[in-house]
Amino acid sequence: MTAWATGTCQVNGVTLHFTRTGGAKPALVLLHGLGLDGSCWSPNARALEAGFDVVMPDGRGHGSSSTPATGYTYEQLAADVVGLIHGLALASPIILGHSMGGLTAAVVAAHHPTLLRGLVLVDPTFLGLESQRDV
């Protein structure tokens, strides 16, 4: 079993923790759902690491990332992902997001369509603004 690297990236005033399989392969960023962290993707990453440099960030307020008092809109979560992509110099990554991560990935793609090579949404939480505030 290959050892994975962990690290942090400073984006938008927060510290995002990530785990990365590494290697000179296409980047695949896996975004977790609400209440989870990047480690929830570990079994999937094991299956994908031969073909991809799998990056599993902990979203703000989750796992080992910063927990600021504010900044939890999907626009801000998406800006964090864009910052991570730039901070790690990921060239045209594929983003796969589940639930909260799915909506975050959709916002990234909507605002930065040329940044990504591909997008996979798994049960995204498409919420209206009022519901988003409640979450």
Side-chain angles (χ1 to χ4, degrees), residues 34 37-38 47 49 54 56 70 76 83-84 87 96 106 113 115 119 124 129:
L34 183 67
D37 62 36
E49 69 181 321
V54 183
M56 300 164 280
T70 62
Q76 290 162 311
L84 180 73
L96 185 156
L115 183 65
L119 176 69
L129 289 177

Side-chain angles (χ1 to χ4, degrees), residues 8-115:
T8 60
C9 188
Q10 300 297 314
V11 297
N12 305 316
V14 297
T15 301
L16 292 184
H17 176 268
F18 63 89
T19 302
R20 185 176 188 176
T21 63
K25 298 170 258 189
L28 173 61
V29 179
L30 303 180
L31 303 179
H32 62 79
L34 183 67
L36 300 172
D37 62 36
S39 70
C40 74
W41 292 108
S42 294
N44 304 88
R46 284 279 173 225
L48 294 166
E49 69 181 321
F52 295 94
D53 173 12
V54 183
V55 179
M56 300 164 280
D58 296 346
R60 66 168 60 203
H62 293 77
S64 297
S65 290
S66 296
T67 306
T70 62
Y72 295 93
T73 68
Y74 284 101
E75 300 289 335
Q76 290 162 311
L77 296 173
D80 290 349
V81 173
V82 170
L84 180 73
I85 290 169
H86 290 304
L88 297 180
L90 303 178
S92 300
I94 298 167
I95 297 181
L96 185 156
H98 171 252
S99 190
M100 177 189 79
L103 182 50
T104 301
V107 173
V108 171
H111 290 210
H112 303 277
T114 61
L115 183 65

